[in-house]
């Protein structure tokens, strides 16, 4: 069962962005850590430029991201992560992966790969950097749903979300203004939702045609198979204003849980059903849920 539950009894078109407490971190680890790190590294080895890119002007911001992410890893799990600093000389230890790294902070020659790529290989989250104009300037994006980094690099936040249905325009405009007002030292989070056939993490654009084709099999699934093969997909997202550059770090941690597991909680089931019945058809279509929707509502109702 996913720790972040994005539904309320009444559907609304708000982004649901809330302030993070001092105890929360922008990165987290769970029981899927080793599998997801291995998958990330496999994808990067197979098609590096598809999953990672960074414009030259992002160098400072990449190092700021390294600092935030490593500090938060230690804060989140000091049993498995440690970070020693002697002026610019840093030593990072990752017991989960049995890896250690010594490098000079802000010296790009002290790491074998780009700083953002380096730190992204230590966390389950996807990492995106926006400049002070809300334009995408760098990212390591391995587990997106229906998009890809190369489609969004250099684009403004509003352009990035252009494929969204018109009914969501006020929400996106409001979120853009909200991001512009985020101050240094503040982090915010929100939870995006969807329902997918299978728990595939990499649903980037290159897989869109094949995924839509696979949805034709939905009608052939028994009720039991439907509960086992349809997954609630939640993207826990955070936004943080970087202190030196004034840019934005955007993190995305993707969680999957089978529908069968989610309906084990009756209150969750009732809330999902209440929420989903009022979602606009345009949004259901955008989320590639149209072939799933009717059976999903029937499944939840019968529970």
């Amino acid at each position: 069962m996913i720790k972040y539950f994005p539904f309320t009894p009444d559907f609304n078109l708000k982004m649901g962005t809330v302030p993070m407490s001092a105890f929360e971190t922008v990165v987290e680890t769970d029981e899927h850590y080793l599998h997801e790190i291995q998958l990330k590294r496999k994808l990067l080895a197979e098609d590096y430029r598809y999953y990672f890119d960074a414009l030259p002007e992002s160098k400072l911001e990449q190092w700021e991201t390294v600092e935030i992410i490593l500090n938060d890893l230690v804060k989140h799990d000091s049993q498995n992560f440690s970070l020693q600093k002697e002026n610019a000389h840093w030593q990072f230890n990752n017991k989960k992966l049995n890896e250690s790294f010594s490098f000079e902070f802000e010296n790009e020659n002290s790491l074998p790969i780009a700083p953002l790529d380096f730190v992204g290989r230590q966390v389950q989250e996807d990492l995106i950097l926006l400049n002070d104009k809300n334009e995408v300037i760098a990212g390591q994006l391995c587990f997106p749903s229906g998009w890809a980094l190369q489609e969004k690099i250099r684009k403004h936040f509003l352009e990035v979300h252009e494929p969204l249905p018109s009914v969501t325009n006020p929400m996106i405009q409001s979120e853009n203004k909200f991001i512009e007002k985020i101050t240094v030292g503040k982090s915010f989070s929100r939870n995006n939702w969807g329902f997918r056939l299978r728990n595939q993490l990499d649903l980037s654009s290159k897989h869109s045609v094949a995924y839509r084709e696979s949805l034709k099999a939905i009608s052939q699934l028994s009720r039991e198979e439907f509960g086992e093969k349809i997954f609630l997909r939640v993207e826990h997202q955070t936004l943080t204003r970087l202190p030196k550059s004034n840019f934005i770090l955007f993190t995305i941690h993707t969680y999957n849980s089978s529908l069968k597991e989610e309906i084990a909680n009756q209150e969750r089931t009732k809330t999902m059903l209440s929420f989903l019945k009022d979602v606009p058809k345009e949004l259901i279509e955008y989320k590639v849920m149209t072939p799933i929707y009717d059976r999903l509502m029937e499944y939840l109702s019968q529970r």
Side-chain angles (χ1 to χ4, degrees), residues 88-113:
H89 298 285
W90 290 22
Q91 172 78 32
F92 172 66
N93 301 299
N94 182 334
K95 290 183 180 179
K96 280 183 174 286
L97 298 174
N98 195 28
E99 294 179 347
S100 295
F101 301 91
S102 295
F103 57 91
E104 186 177 347
F105 188 69
E106 295 187 345
N107 179 356
E108 60 184 275
N109 295 321
S110 65
L111 286 174
I113 53 179

Side-chain angles (χ1 to χ4, degrees), residues 2 11 14 39 90 98 101 132 155 176 194 242 253 256:
I2 299 174
F11 170 78
K14 296 179 181 180
L39 178 56
W90 290 22
N98 195 28
F101 301 91
D132 53 1
K155 290 188 176 181
N176 180 60
L242 300 176
H253 191 137
N256 283 312

Side-chain angles (χ1 to χ4, degrees), residues 28 39 43 71 90 92 115 124 127 130 135 156 164 186 217:
E28 300 174 331
L39 178 56
L43 294 171
N71 283 335
W90 290 22
F92 172 66
Q124 291 167 259
L127 307 174
L130 306 175
E135 298 166 333
H156 188 274
L164 277 166
K186 298 289 185 181

Side-chain angles (χ1 to χ4, degrees), residues 134 157 175-182 239 241 248:
N134 277 8
F157 177 84
E175 188 71 2
N176 180 60
K177 292 178 182 177
F178 173 81
I179 292 174
E180 291 175 348
K181 295 178 181 178
I182 293 177
L239 294 158
R241 178 73 65 186
I248 288 286

Side-chain angles (χ1 to χ4, degrees), residues 163-191:
L164 277 166
S166 58
V167 69
T168 64
N169 285 346
M171 173 183 72
I172 298 302
Q173 292 286 346
S174 176
E175 188 71 2
N176 180 60
K177 292 178 182 177
F178 173 81
I179 292 174
E180 291 175 348
K181 295 178 181 178
I182 293 177
T183 57
V184 171
K186 298 289 185 181
S187 292
F188 295 82
S189 68
R190 68 177 296 269
N191 298 306

Side-chain angles (χ1 to χ4, degrees), residues 9 12 41 88 108 112 118 123 136 150 162 171 180 194 216 224 228 244-245 254 273 275 287 297:
N12 66 69
R41 295 181 179 191
E108 60 184 275
F118 158 72
V123 295
V136 178
Q150 291 304 322
E162 276 183 353
M171 173 183 72
E180 291 175 348
K216 294 179 180 179
E224 183 70 16
E228 293 172 348
K244 297 177 183 177
S245 62
T254 300
L273 186 61
F275 179 95
K287 289 178 177 286
M297 297 302 284

